[in-house]
């Protein structure tokens, strides 16, 4: 098993700084996501790890070995691309065996390895087909089998599911998680899809303008975003400006006065000083009620008017106007009756309100 370490890695293309001073440690056997919007530098970072692009500065280590100057074929990293990149003139088995031919593996061993790899991705019965006789999901499975067949030290995945439809994406997400657990292989997975990152990752690096804005487990980046950018990128949220009054309690909660009234919120240590703060409140941190409730368990009770409402079956998304704010509220298990234009009562759950860097 192989760990990965990036030390102040930077890549400039003329004037463009694509990757800016990125340092990252990925323990062996873990599934690390690089998550960010288009153009943030995540593919360039992945290509530097693979060896296709040389860093302008900084160093890359595989299990403590400096590979910065090594060409791709000396790094033993497998790669899965967005567009599958299968050879159309080769059968499925020949595609999977390609990396083994390059490594001059003896025929009998190669046959076994191809069989094992196809079995891993549940494609054994398609060994003799041509890639163009397969669906998109099946082609992506073959691409995965090809990338793991030579037992790479690292598996690098570049938006592997973005060409698949929603149902297949879900199915392949589960497959990738299973394969990651089965092979215990260190994987670096690039995507702009936060659901993919939240559902699969051991750790997520949220990238913006070539820099890691936050690194953490899916729950950490979702529940404890450091910045407005991360809070917004990783899911829906509401931002409310306020002023932190007195000191925080032992658990890090303080009272913030805002247009919505006094809100109890988690204040990260770096922001624990009296003064202006920005609060992030997830739509599901606001609970709807048929009638106004007294403040309980640190929750703040509020009333507003529903100005937009979308029924989604298992949930409904409402926009509620309250004291000059338009709050997004997510209601689980809605009754289905329209709330549009009506007065609604709700509570803000303090545990899920957090101050972020503006
Ligand atoms: P996407 O999700 O759209 O692929 P990305 O986050 O992977 O985006 P990169 O492809 O890494 O982003 O690009 C980061 C920045 O570097 C962009 O501004 C891009 O235009 C620039 N860039 C990437 N490759 C090159 C290149 N070969 N020459 C010049 N500029 C490049």
């Amino acid at each position: 098993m192989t760990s990965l370490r990036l030390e102040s890695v930077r890549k400039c293309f003329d004037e463009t700084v694509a990757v800016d001073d990125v340092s990252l440690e990925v323990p062996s056997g873990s599934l690390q996501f690089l998550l960010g919007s288009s153009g943030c530098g995540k593919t360039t970072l992945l290509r530097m790890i693979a060896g296709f692009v040389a860093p302008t500065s900084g160093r890359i280590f595989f299990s403590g070995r400096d590979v910065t100057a090594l060409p791709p074929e000396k790094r033993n990293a497998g790669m899965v691309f967005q567009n599958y990149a299968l050879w159309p003139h080769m059968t499925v088995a020949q595609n999977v065996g390609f990396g083994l031919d390059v490594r001059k593996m003896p025929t009998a061993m190669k046959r076994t390895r191809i069989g094992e790899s196809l079995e891993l991705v549940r494609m054994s019965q398609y060994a003799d087909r041509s890639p163009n006789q397969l669906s998109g999901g099946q082609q992506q499975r073959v691409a995965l089998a090809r990338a793991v067949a030579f037992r790479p030290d690292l598996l690098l995945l570049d938006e592997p599911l973005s060409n698949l439809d929603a149902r297949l994406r879900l199915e392949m997400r589960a497959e990738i998680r299973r394969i990651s657990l089965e092979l215990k292989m260190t994987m670096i997975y690039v995507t702009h899809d936060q659901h993919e990152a939240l559902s699969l990752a051991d750790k997520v690096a949220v990238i913006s303008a070539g820099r890691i804005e936050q690194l953490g487990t899916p729950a950490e980046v979702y529940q404890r975003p450091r910045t407005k950018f991360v809070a917004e990128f990783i899911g829906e949220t509401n931002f409310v400006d306020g002023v932190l009054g007195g000191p925080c309690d032992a658990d890090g909660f303080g009272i913030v006065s805002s247009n919505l009234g006094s809100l109890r919120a988690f204040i990260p240590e770096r922001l624990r000083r009296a003064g202006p703060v920005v609060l992030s409140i997830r739509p599901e941190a606001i609970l709807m009620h048929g009638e106004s409730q007294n403040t309980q368990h640190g929750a703040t009770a509020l009333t507003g008017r529903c100005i937009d409402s979308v029924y989604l079956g298992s949930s409904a998304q409402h926009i509620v106007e309250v004291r000059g704010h338009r709050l997004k509220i997510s209601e689980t298990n809605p009754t289905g009756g329209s709330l549009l234009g009506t007065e609604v009562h709700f509570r803000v759950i303090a545990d899920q309100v957090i101050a972020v860097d503006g």
Side-chain angles (χ1 to χ4, degrees), residues 184-205:
K184 297 186 178 64
M185 196 176 271
T186 312
M187 295 189 183
I188 316 293
Y189 189 126
V190 158
T191 187
H192 61 268
D193 182 330
Q194 70 272 32
H195 298 296
E196 241 163 75
L198 291 176
S199 61
L200 283 176
D202 289 316
K203 286 272 180 75
V204 183

Side-chain angles (χ1 to χ4, degrees), residues 15 21 34 55 66 114 122 127 145 163 177 181 221 244 246 257 265-266 305 314 325 352 356:
E15 306 290 273
D21 196 25
L34 305 177
D66 189 341
I114 292 172
R122 298 177 174 149
N163 283 346
R177 186 75 222 173
L181 291 173
V221 292
L244 176 64
S257 43
F266 179 74
R305 184 160 298 277
S314 62
H325 280 280
Q352 296 175 37
V356 294

Side-chain angles (χ1 to χ4, degrees), residues 11-19 34-47 53 82 158-159 190-192 207 209-210:
K11 179 67 190 179
C12 305
F13 296 107
D14 301 322
E15 306 290 273
T16 310
V17 182
V19 173
L34 305 177
L35 174 71
S37 52
S38 183
C40 74
K42 55 195 186 299
T43 298
T44 303
L45 192 52
L46 195 75
R47 292 174 70 81
V53 171
Q82 183 176 341
D158 191 0
E159 308 237 14
V190 158
T191 187
H192 61 268
I207 300 183

